Amino acid sequence: MAQETKAMERISTGIGEMDKLIEGGYPRERSILISGGPGVGKTIAALQYVNKACESGLSCIYLATEETPEELIIQANQLSLPLSKYVENGLLTIEPVLSERMEDIQWQRAKTPARAIFKKPLDCISKSKADVIVLDNLGSYTLDVTMGAFREQMDLLIHTIRKKQMSSLIISDETLTERYNNVALYSVHGAIHMFKRENPFTGNVERLINVMKMRGTKTPLGYVKYIIDENGINIQNPKISK
Ligand SMILES: Nc1ncnc2c1ncn2[C@@H]1O[C@H](COP(=O)(O)OP(=O)(O)O)[C@@H](O)[C@H]1O
Ligand SMILES: [Mg+2]
């Protein structure tokens, strides 16, 4: 275990001061969960991560359940992230798992075995030779699935990613109820929660990050403030005590 801590390599989060908060970045070849409600910036965090990974020569696959590849490229362009360049040179593959999701839902209704819930992402992961994988997002896959089946499938997903020595970012939104989120939380190596909260002193709504867990890493105890602007996510108080 001490060896794991010592040897842990990192991949930059792609978010300015964020790396400083978690000893240099996300642990390599591990799965990190980013959870939060709609509009907190989960997809932006993923785009910044993928951009930075491509920039450093890592190949990436982005499994998108909500947006089309075109929409993601537009969102990236607005943030001045040159993702289209990486799609063109083959470093980045954006895989739409949008329509397949609908099939999956029908499938579940037809009481097909639960082992099929992550079929599409698992197929993509199995075939892919990428270094980095993003699944945006998990919430799309939990309709009508029992807790036991979800746990089993989550473990299978994480295990498959680990076996392929990929570094992954798994995003979950609030379509995933708290109980499912807790299951997901146990399966992963690290977890970050993004949320908005009204500051009781100023009355202003703030955006906050909570590093819930990151194995083998010193993490900030308090919530870390961030903003979203034309450069994407920016950490506001990186010197927070640990
Ligand atoms: N240029 C910008 N300036 C300020 N806020 C922005 C800008 N671009 C996007 N946002 C914010 O980011 C949110 C979308 O982030 P996104 O990562 O797509 O959210 P989600 O967590 O749902 O994936 C928008 O709702 C908006 O609040
Ligand atoms: Mg999103």
Side-chain angles (χ1 to χ4, degrees), residues 36-44 46 62 66-67 72 75 136-137 171 173:
V40 294
K42 302 181 300 298
T43 295
I44 293 177
Y62 196 114
E66 299 287 325
E67 290 97 349
L72 285 172
Q75 198 173 356
D136 181 8
N137 68 67
I171 294 172
D173 61 19

Side-chain angles (χ1 to χ4, degrees), residues 86-242:
Y86 298 124
V87 170
E88 277 160 32
N89 73 15
L91 216 44
L92 171 63
T93 307
I94 304 179
E95 197 78 48
V97 283
L98 207 62
S99 51
E100 287 82 355
R101 183 167 67 110
M102 297 318 291
E103 285 167 25
D104 285 348
I105 290 167
Q106 282 171 4
W107 220 351
Q108 289 162 27
R109 295 252 154 82
K111 299 248 182 289
T112 308
R115 80 173 28 258
I117 58 169
F118 291 133
K119 185 177 184 303
K120 177 73 183 177
L122 279 169
D123 281 351
C124 291
I125 293 163
S126 300
K127 283 187 212 127
S128 175
K129 290 194 168 69
D131 302 304
V132 165
I133 174 203
V134 169
L135 174 56
D136 181 8
N137 68 67
L138 206 58
S140 317
Y141 289 97
T142 55
L143 261 125
D144 293 343
V145 183
T146 67
M147 203 61 64
F150 180 68
R151 174 176 290 246
E152 197 185 284
Q153 290 301 292
M154 220 22 236
D155 286 342
L156 177 63
L157 184 73
I158 303 299
H159 177 73
T160 306
I161 291 168
R162 180 88 188 251
K163 222 170 52 190
K164 293 212 67 171
Q165 294 180 298
M166 290 171 157
S167 306
S168 87
L169 208 58
I170 295 173
I171 294 172
S172 83
D173 61 19
E174 280 165 5
T175 30
L176 212 65
T177 63
E178 205 182 330
R179 286 174 66 214
Y180 283 109
N181 252 323
N182 285 340
V183 169
L185 195 60
Y186 279 111
S187 307
V188 291
H189 187 90
I192 289 171
H193 185 60
M194 301 169 77
F195 62 104
K196 286 187 230 176
R197 187 183 65 177
E198 191 179 302
N199 182 318
F201 301 107
T202 63
N204 296 329
V205 175
E206 297 172 341
R207 294 185 185 275
L208 296 162
I209 283 176
N210 177 16
V211 183
M212 299 175 80
K213 74 167 191 182
M214 198 70 68
R215 291 182 192 143
T217 309
K218 272 191 216 133
T219 56
L221 256 185
Y223 299 152
V224 179
K225 250 200 254 182
Y226 69 98
I227 56 154
I228 304 178
D229 62 18
E230 67 282 0
N231 298 312
I233 295 169
N234 275 294
I235 302 295
Q236 296 293 285
N237 52 346
K239 290 196 186 72
I240 191 161
S241 62
K242 294 196 175 181

